[in-house]
Amino acid sequence: MFRVLETYTKQSTAYKNKLQAQQTLGNPSKLVVKSLERSLKNLQKEFEIIEKELLVLVKTDYQEILTKLESIPNIGRKTAVMVVVLTDGFTKFESAAQLCSFCGLTPSIRQSGTSIHGRSRISKGVSPC
């Protein structure tokens, strides 16, 4: 379901871009504009249906984890659901370091010698979190 939502998001963006392109024309085709608007509306309805069903499934299996994630400042419902789905309720990883590496959140310091210091960056490598 999560992959379908990603696909719908990309398609929605494409329809919005096409609508904008049509409206920047001097004399846009009313038929094309109406067709794109209907397609976008239908796509948004399907997105909402799947999103609601995904939330129901996540709540039945991972309500406690979902509640804890949502209690973190700046983590909303969509982000919490995404994290739970992608990590399968955090069961896919044996340690915090593996989760950080999967997410690409492990800091890496680039340093050569004592006089030249590079900026820290995010690395995909495993490091203790």
Side-chain angles (χ1 to χ4, degrees):
M1 281 191 225
F2 189 71
R3 302 260 189 267
V4 170
L5 290 176
E6 287 178 340
T7 302
Y8 284 173
T9 301
K10 290 178 184 177
Q11 288 176 349
S12 176
T13 302
Y15 282 131
K16 288 176 185 176
N17 290 341
K18 288 177 184 178
L19 270 171
Q20 184 179 4
Q22 282 293 317
Q23 293 175 356
T24 57
L25 294 175
N27 189 12
S29 169
K30 291 181 182 180
L31 179 66
V32 172
V33 170
K34 290 290 183 188
S35 175
L36 289 171
E37 287 173 345
R38 279 193 311 269
S39 296
L40 183 60
K41 189 175 178 180
N42 289 332
L43 192 61
Q44 288 170 340
K45 284 181 185 177
E46 290 297 320
F47 185 90
E48 289 173 7
I49 290 168
I50 293 175
E51 190 176 45
K52 285 179 185 177
E53 184 62 30
L54 181 62
L55 181 61
V56 168
L57 290 173
V58 169
K59 279 186 171 183
T60 57
D61 293 339
Y62 302 108
Q63 178 61 49
E64 184 179 340
I65 294 171
L66 191 64
T67 304
K68 287 179 181 179
L69 283 172
E70 288 178 336
S71 70
I72 299 171
N74 299 321
I75 301 288
R77 165 112 345 131
K78 286 184 179 183
T79 303
V81 168
M82 180 184 71
V83 169
V84 169
V85 168
L86 290 176
T87 63
D88 198 21
F90 297 100
T91 59
K92 289 184 176 182
F93 306 100
E94 296 176 10
S95 68
Q98 288 179 344
L99 176 61
C100 289
S101 294
F102 175 77
C103 296
L105 300 175
T106 55
S108 173
I109 299 172
R110 295 183 347 206
Q111 184 174 354
S112 175
T114 57
S115 62
I116 301 174
H117 297 284
R119 290 183 50 205
S120 296
R121 61 184 178 85
I122 300 298
S123 169
K124 294 278 187 187
V126 177
S127 72
C129 285

